[in-house]
Amino acid sequence: MSDPLAVLQRIRETRPRRWERAGESCELCCEPIPEEHGHLVDIEARNLMCACRGCYLLFTSEGAGGAHFRSVPDRYRSFPGLELSPLQWDSLQVPVSVAFFFLNSSLGRVAAFYPGPAGATESELPLDTWEEVLEANPELDSIQPDVEAFLVRARPDRGGADCFVVPIDACYELVGHLRRLWRGFDGGREAHDLLDSFFARVRERAR
Ligand SMILES: [Zn+2]
Ligand SMILES: [Zn+2]
């Protein structure tokens, strides 16, 4: 229950079966829902659920749904001025160029994940590094626990990193797509193309 990987594993297991298929229904009230719909995080089961508009709205403000469900907000924010030095990136111990971080409220700590052929892998994130990043960038404090993630793509060619706050379901979507395309150690050409177009979309929405 307290394993932060459980959320991602659940998504890995459920995605091929019913994740984001046309004709699905709200997982709370069973109303049919359109292809474009919102999601809830089940805080207790660490699971992501598809929701109709009504159920989604029930759990939008923090605490409205008790501690059980929380709506995944639809906001994208960019942090062009965010400082993440190559040294800090290295100390996050992420072997690939992309990672996302979120506050797991059940564990009371930040979890860091990076994509790969097996889906998402949790990094052994040294907490002092995260504290350093937070201290230098206090605006990151507004990230909502469990439902929003801090998404980073290292750009050593540009001497920095692209940083965004995104809905957590966007991260799961990215991980699911990458898993199918991943080749070799760094993902290969197709994975890089997918990352390029994904980050272009994120940048567009963050405006
Ligand atoms: Zn519903
Ligand atoms: Zn859905």
Side-chain angles (χ1 to χ4, degrees):
M1 178 66 72
S2 63
D3 179 5
L5 264 180
V7 175
L8 294 153
Q9 276 159 353
R10 272 297 274 284
I11 283 152
R12 285 217 297 271
E13 285 159 15
T14 56
R15 178 176 283 273
R17 219 170 56 238
R18 47 144 214 187
W19 177 252
E20 300 307 53
R21 281 213 192 138
E24 58 186 330
S25 49
C26 175
E27 291 181 70
L28 273 190
C29 74
C30 300
E31 281 284 309
I33 49 176
E35 208 177 319
E36 286 276 314
H37 53 259
H39 292 113
L40 305 172
V41 171
D42 181 334
I43 306 290
E44 286 172 11
R46 309 302 308 174
N47 190 18
L48 198 63
M49 301 164 73
C50 300
C52 72
R53 194 70 194 149
C55 290
Y56 177 85
L57 291 174
L58 269 184
F59 301 105
T60 44
S61 52
E62 204 161 337
H68 198 164
F69 300 110
R70 207 165 294 157
S71 300
V72 179
D74 188 29
R75 63 175 179 171
Y76 289 73
R77 284 169 289 160
S78 66
F79 295 90
L82 192 135
E83 306 270 334
L84 193 67
S85 68
L87 196 70
Q88 282 175 323
W89 176 264
D90 285 347
S91 71
L92 294 176
Q93 300 186 34
V94 173
V96 296
S97 64
V98 180
F100 64 95
F101 309 85
F102 67 94
L103 181 66
N104 181 321
S105 66
S106 309
L107 298 183
R109 68 170 177 85
V110 169
F113 291 89
Y114 57 88
T121 304
E122 185 170 13
S123 153
E124 296 298 321
L125 174 70
L127 278 180
D128 47 347
T129 299
W130 179 256
E131 292 294 327
E132 259 176 45
V133 174
L134 262 188
E135 237 163 69
N137 306 277
E139 68 271 33
L140 287 179
D141 224 20
S142 65
I143 299 178
Q144 292 186 42
D146 305 303
V147 292
E148 286 189 317
F150 178 56
L151 178 68
V152 183
R153 185 183 192 189
R155 306 302 299 257
D157 50 326
R158 298 185 207 159
D162 290 341
C163 306
F164 298 94
V165 170
V166 302
I168 193 100
D169 51 359
C171 295
Y172 296 148
E173 188 195 321
L174 176 66
V175 163
H177 286 319
L178 281 175
R179 180 176 165 243
R180 286 197 300 273
L181 297 175
W182 202 271
R183 301 284 178 274
F185 176 71
D186 72 342
R189 167 60 76 78
E190 275 186 277
H192 282 261
D193 289 350
L194 180 91
L195 280 170
D196 284 343
S197 60
F198 181 85
F199 274 85
R201 276 206 314 277
V202 167
R203 188 168 294 107
E204 188 61 34
R205 296 195 65 167
R207 276 201 186 124

